[in-house]
Amino acid sequence: MSGLNLELEVFRNIFLSIADEMGIVLRRTAFSANIKERLDFSCAVYDRHAETIAMGDHMPVHLGAMPFSVAEALRSHTIDPGDIVILNDPFRGGTHLPDITSVSAVFTADDPEPAYYLATRAHHADVGGMSPGSMPLAREIYQEGLRIPPVKLFRHGEIQNETLDLILANVRTPEERRGDLAAQVASHRIGERRLLAATEKYGHGRISRQMDALKDYTERMMRVRLQGIPNGEYDFEDFLDDDGFGSPPVRIHCRLTICGDRALVDYSGSAQQQRGGVNANLSITVAATMYCFRCLIDDDAPFNAGLLRPIEVLTKPGSVLDAQPPASVAAGNVETSQRITDTLLGALQKALPEKIPAASAGTMNNLSLGGIDPLTGLPFAYYETIAGGMGARPTADGMDAVQNHMTNSLNTPVEALEHLYPLLMRRYAVRRGSGGEGKYRGGDGVIREFEFLTETDFALLSDRRQTRPYGSQRGQPGQPGQNLLNGNPLPAKGHFSAGTGDRLTIKTPGGGGFGREREMEP
């Protein structure tokens, strides 16, 4: 790797392999389809300062926001050997309530202070609230599910049954939650063993120096990239369709200022906090910003805390990008994060018109559902995001049917879905023609049609049903998405009921096109 010496590259891969192995253990030991099949989780390694050193190849919206959870856990508790702190409170380091974060410290034999920290974040398919799957269209956070401040799930290696019992008493699928929490604990155990083994081999001092050097290296790479962007101010705005309660389109505004090797990203012109759950907290806004700037670096730069050192993020407290209690936030993590990405990339397009792609689908097309399984007589709850079209690139068409930007998950395989839940998948196909035209075409979205085999409540949190993914350099926008129940249109966001035999069809947006439409070929 250019500019990265051999020793630093070796240690970089040691840290990455630990985060990746934590993810493998979490996936293999989890109970829910959302984690085992969709990979809706993330793992990361932090240094003695609780700054990010290595992230697994997991979800950008998780990874950029997790340092806020680690910091809040440390503010709230002294983390001793064998302790694991969990939290999901969006106003104390979390994102939205289904994302439960776990934090632990790693101690070496000769130091009473933590040498490293570890964190995992997993999207739990149900954490209570007003609808199965805990992704409702709500007016306040109290309706969205169980809100967990930083609390110790393990203390000195012993599980705190009172904490666990409180959580399990407030969810629809307690055994699945127990299994997924245990999987997060197992992930911490393997991460701790691997860090201690590396410390025994190389020494804590040497590892700490390499961790500091990795952050410095990433900072240098980011500064060099920023110097390659013309100085100036670049404004862009985009919109969410609505907040789910009849609001006008919700403005997301970015003013990007580039000055030498520094960047200022000012979102304070965005709309005020909304009634519906499209509100994002500061950690989500920072995560989306971090992701966009990482994408600018051509080389395989280490993704760590050094990336943000030359970048300042400004928000307005009480706005849709820096929501305050008791705002509902379920869609902020999944929908608003996508629009932040679209908006910042739109501003970067003005600075780098031949480098930045057109807008991708711009929505995670969230579906959560549940009811009583007629085979077992027990409650079930399920959640998924659905892929869309990638925006066309400056030199190539966009990809069809992929998870874009802030999500890096998968669609649940049909076989797993039908095996685990009272559902049939009647259609699963690429939505041909939904990508925007241009010299390079936007990728096509997806058509996913479910048949319910029992009475089911479901919630939709989707977007780009009114607004369209923008094209770039005179390329055409992608087609908007559509939600249908038995062929009848449904709103982008809402809570609904279905009977046995009813069919839900979700058609996801395509990506925007890039460049003027190509000439007709003979």
Side-chain angles (χ1 to χ4, degrees):
M1 177 182 295
S2 175
L4 187 61
N5 65 51
L6 181 60
E7 182 179 25
L8 195 56
E9 175 71 359
V10 168
F11 278 94
R12 176 204 186 206
N13 282 282
I14 289 172
F15 306 143
L16 278 176
S17 69
I18 293 170
D20 284 336
E21 189 173 2
M22 289 173 66
I24 291 169
V25 169
L26 177 50
R27 180 187 185 183
R28 288 182 174 177
T29 56
F31 278 33
S32 67
N34 193 52
I35 296 174
K36 292 185 76 71
E37 303 289 351
R38 292 194 55 253
L39 313 188
D40 198 344
F41 64 84
S42 299
C43 302
V45 177
Y46 302 82
D47 65 10
R48 65 192 185 282
H49 307 297
E51 293 187 337
T52 309
I53 293 300
M55 307 175 182
D57 186 17
H58 301 143
M59 301 191 74
V61 74
H62 286 175
L63 294 166
M66 281 166 63
F68 289 81
S69 293
V70 176
E72 189 63 33
L74 295 177
R75 275 194 292 268
S76 303
H77 295 278
T78 298
I79 304 182
D80 296 317
D83 290 358
I84 296 180
V85 175
I86 62 169
L87 68 150
N88 73 349
D89 188 344
F91 306 112
R92 299 187 66 180
T95 47
H96 61 182
L97 297 183
D99 284 344
I100 298 180
T101 303
S102 56
V103 181
S104 68
V106 179
F107 295 80
T108 58
D110 56 350
D111 193 344
E113 296 298 317
Y116 323 104
Y117 296 93
L118 299 168
T120 75
R121 174 168 288 171
H123 185 116
H124 288 249
D126 188 89
V127 290
M130 63 191 291
S131 67
S134 308
M135 291 286 287
L137 178 60
R139 293 179 183 269
E140 56 184 4
I141 194 169
Y142 309 112
Q143 298 173 309
E144 292 183 328
L146 179 65
R147 189 170 159 198
I148 307 170
V151 294
K152 289 191 178 181
L153 182 63
F154 276 75
R155 190 185 300 271
H156 302 305
E158 298 294 329
I159 190 167
Q160 302 301 289
N161 285 307
E162 296 89 348
T163 300
L164 182 62
D165 290 345
L166 179 62
I167 294 170
L168 300 185
N170 285 279
V171 302
R172 294 174 178 84
T173 49
E175 290 309 307
E176 187 175 271
R177 299 288 68 71
R178 186 195 302 272
D180 286 350
L181 286 169
Q184 290 182 258
V185 172
S187 177
H188 281 267
R189 300 295 185 238
I190 194 67
E192 180 178 17
R193 287 204 295 270
R194 295 295 182 258
L195 277 171
L196 290 176
T199 302
E200 184 177 354
K201 182 174 182 179
Y202 299 107
H204 180 223
R206 187 179 181 189
I207 288 180
S208 292
R209 288 192 296 274
Q210 294 298 329
M211 287 181 166
D212 291 340
L214 271 174
K215 292 184 292 184
D216 293 343
Y217 176 72
T218 298
E219 178 187 357
R220 290 196 300 273
M221 291 193 74
M222 190 71 255
R223 289 187 184 278
V224 168
R225 185 65 188 92
L226 291 173
Q227 287 175 326
I229 303 174
N231 287 343
E233 286 190 356
Y234 306 95
D235 284 77
F236 195 85
E237 67 178 14
D238 204 343
F239 295 85
L240 294 160
D241 290 341
D242 58 24
D243 70 350
F245 289 107
S247 77
V250 179
R251 182 182 192 233
I252 309 296
H253 178 268
C254 170
R255 173 168 293 166
L256 170 65
T257 303
I258 301 294
C259 183
D261 64 352
R262 295 193 60 82
L264 172 65
V265 189
D266 186 354
Y267 296 107
S268 57
S270 299
Q272 287 298 103
Q273 180 169 311
Q274 302 291 301
R275 288 178 299 170
V278 297
N279 302 296
N281 63 16
L282 178 61
S283 69
I284 293 168
T285 302
V286 170
T289 304
M290 188 176 186
Y291 164 79
C292 290
F293 279 99
R294 171 62 184 85
C295 290
L296 293 179
I297 302 176
D298 293 330
D299 292 332
D300 186 18
F303 199 179
N304 58 47
L307 187 79
L308 279 177
R309 287 176 178 172
I311 300 165
E312 183 179 359
V313 178
L314 294 181
T315 61
K316 181 181 177 182
S319 72
V320 71
L321 301 191
D322 192 352
Q324 304 298 307
S328 53
V329 296
N333 185 52
V334 287
E335 295 302 289
T336 308
S337 68
Q338 296 285 60
R339 197 63 71 256
I340 297 169
T341 302
D342 291 339
T343 305
L344 178 50
L345 289 177
L348 285 164
Q349 267 188 12
K350 295 184 175 182
L352 301 168
E354 300 302 323
K355 294 290 186 181
I356 306 299
S360 294
T363 172
M364 296 192 198
N365 305 289
N366 303 269
L367 169 64
S368 55
L369 56 87
I372 302 298
D373 190 327
L375 293 180
T376 65
L378 298 174
F380 71 94
Y382 173 67
Y383 166 76
E384 74 172 15
T385 61
I386 303 174
M390 176 193 285
R393 294 161 283 181
T395 58
D397 292 345
M399 297 173 64
D400 299 333
V402 291
Q403 302 273 1
N404 294 290
H405 290 320
M406 298 307 290
T407 176
N408 190 30
S409 58
L410 305 176
N411 286 356
T412 305
V414 173
E415 298 84 354
L417 184 77
E418 295 183 341
H419 173 70
L420 293 169
Y421 306 103
L423 298 167
L424 287 178
M425 185 62 63
R426 288 298 185 182
R427 189 180 183 195
Y428 186 24
V430 175
R431 186 188 176 200
R432 298 298 181 191
S434 55
E437 293 293 337
K439 180 180 180 181
Y440 299 106
R441 291 191 69 257
D444 287 331
V446 162
I447 301 174
R448 199 154 160 92
E449 183 176 328
F450 305 81
E451 180 179 338
F452 301 105
L453 300 183
T454 188
E455 293 184 357
T456 305
D457 291 330
F458 68 93
L460 293 170
L461 292 176
S462 59
D463 211 83
R464 292 295 197 201
R465 269 52 181 171
Q466 305 298 323
T467 62
R468 300 170 66 178
Y470 58 78
S472 178
Q473 305 305 301
R474 303 177 73 176
Q476 296 300 305
Q479 292 298 314
Q482 191 176 21
N483 306 326
L484 305 164
L485 183 61
N486 298 325
N488 299 310
L490 292 176
K493 303 171 184 70
H495 182 257
F496 313 93
S497 295
T500 303
D502 285 349
R503 295 191 182 188
L504 171 66
T505 304
I506 298 177
K507 300 180 180 181
T508 69
F514 190 98
R516 295 185 64 178
E517 190 168 348
R518 67 189 84 179
E519 296 180 1
M520 293 288 291
E521 295 183 4

